[in-house]
Amino acid sequence: MKYMLLMQFSAAGTDFPSIDTWTPEEIRAHIGFMGDVNAKLVADGEFVQGEGLGGPQQARIVRAGENGAPVVTEGPFAETKEFLAGWWIVDCETPQRAVEIAAHISTAPGPGGRPLNMPIEVHPVMSAPSQEL
């Protein structure tokens, strides 16, 4: 079964500064950890896909306007307290394994090497509906 793991960043309830204030060594350790996670998932045959995402200042919200033309606004807005920081799709034997992977990802190091304990959402990836529908 495939699962999507969504790494959420939440300014609420965090006790670490934003990544733009981390030292270069702290950023390298964090990115190195993510690389190690991906390498292990590949070696275990569980990695399907994963990416880090740009911050909310780089995101855009798109809606269909008149005649389906795109209406683009900046967003999420600066007051946004939570945003999606990255994602993985993993293929696991059990839901418990997906939860174990998510818990490990949550331990990514931050300032001073302390685990960030960022929330990771775990969603089953649904298969296509039957042809009968």
Side-chain angles (χ1 to χ4, degrees), residues 19-34:
I19 197 166
D20 60 342
T21 66
W22 297 8
T23 67
E25 295 79 21
E26 290 167 340
I27 292 171
R28 278 193 294 275
H30 183 79
I31 292 171
F33 176 91
M34 295 302 179

Side-chain angles (χ1 to χ4, degrees), residues 37-66:
V37 164
N38 292 346
K40 176 144 178 35
L41 291 171
V42 167
D44 292 345
E46 296 172 318
F47 185 85
V48 175
Q49 193 172 18
E51 297 290 339
L53 298 174
Q57 68 278 11
Q58 298 168 306
R60 302 293 174 261
I61 296 176
V62 180
R63 290 184 175 86
E66 189 172 327

Side-chain angles (χ1 to χ4, degrees), residues 56-129:
Q57 68 278 11
Q58 298 168 306
R60 302 293 174 261
I61 296 176
V62 180
R63 290 184 175 86
E66 189 172 327
N67 298 320
V71 176
V72 181
T73 57
E74 292 183 8
F77 301 103
E79 63 271 11
T80 299
K81 301 267 190 272
E82 296 179 352
F83 62 90
L84 187 61
W87 55 272
W88 291 260
I89 296 179
V90 295
D91 194 353
C92 304
E93 293 292 323
T94 66
Q96 293 81 9
R97 176 63 184 142
V99 168
E100 290 171 3
I101 294 168
H104 178 65
I105 292 169
S106 179
T107 68
R114 291 182 310 142
L116 294 176
N117 297 324
M118 289 175 48
I120 309 293
E121 292 183 29
V122 178
H123 294 263
V125 175
M126 306 306 289
S127 60

